[in-house]
Amino acid sequence: MTRHPFPHPDQLMLDWENDPAVQARIEQLAAELAERQSFQWRLRLMMIESVMMGSLVIAAGTALRQPTAMVLQSGLFVAAACLASGMILIGLSALCAVGLAKLRKRWAR
């Protein structure tokens, strides 16, 4: 993609770089996007770890020649427990972040 050295004559010339309100809004939108994406990545990580732990339990039970129904049930229980504990951890970390932000605002006064 090539950039033209001069803008088109019909283009409205705006100087967004020098407007502090526009810069603050851009930074706010970028922070909101980053927060949303970080939460989604945490959820993905919890799902991947849960599936991996359940798979490892199933693989270990199969390698030890345990009954299939028991191995599958154990793998599902381990995956569910990992997912539940991960969700609790995500929730607690979000609560701590909110609490620390409120404390920071209170101390800034």
Side-chain angles (χ1 to χ4, degrees):
M1 191 169 178
T2 60
R3 273 187 81 111
H4 300 287
F6 301 105
H8 191 273
D10 292 336
Q11 182 177 356
L12 180 61
M13 297 301 295
L14 298 173
D15 189 17
W16 295 112
E17 289 83 23
N18 293 332
D19 189 1
V22 171
Q23 291 297 321
R25 180 67 177 147
I26 290 171
E27 289 177 10
Q28 178 188 7
L29 290 173
E32 290 172 3
L33 177 66
E35 183 67 28
R36 219 175 16 255
Q37 287 179 346
S38 70
F39 183 73
Q40 291 172 351
W41 276 106
R42 284 185 217 135
L43 288 178
R44 288 178 189 154
L45 183 61
M46 287 289 96
M47 294 298 295
I48 290 168
E49 289 177 352
S50 298
V51 168
M52 286 177 57
M53 291 301 293
S55 299
L56 286 173
V57 169
I58 291 171
T62 304
L64 294 172
R65 291 182 168 70
Q66 297 296 317
T68 306
M70 184 184 73
V71 169
L72 291 176
Q73 183 181 13
S74 299
L76 287 175
F77 282 154
V78 167
C82 287
L83 184 61
S85 65
M87 296 306 262
I88 290 171
L89 184 64
I90 288 174
L92 289 175
S93 67
L95 284 175
C96 287
V98 169
L100 288 174
K102 286 183 179 181
L103 278 176
R104 192 176 321 149
K105 283 183 182 179
R106 181 180 289 175
W107 283 340
R109 290 182 191 178

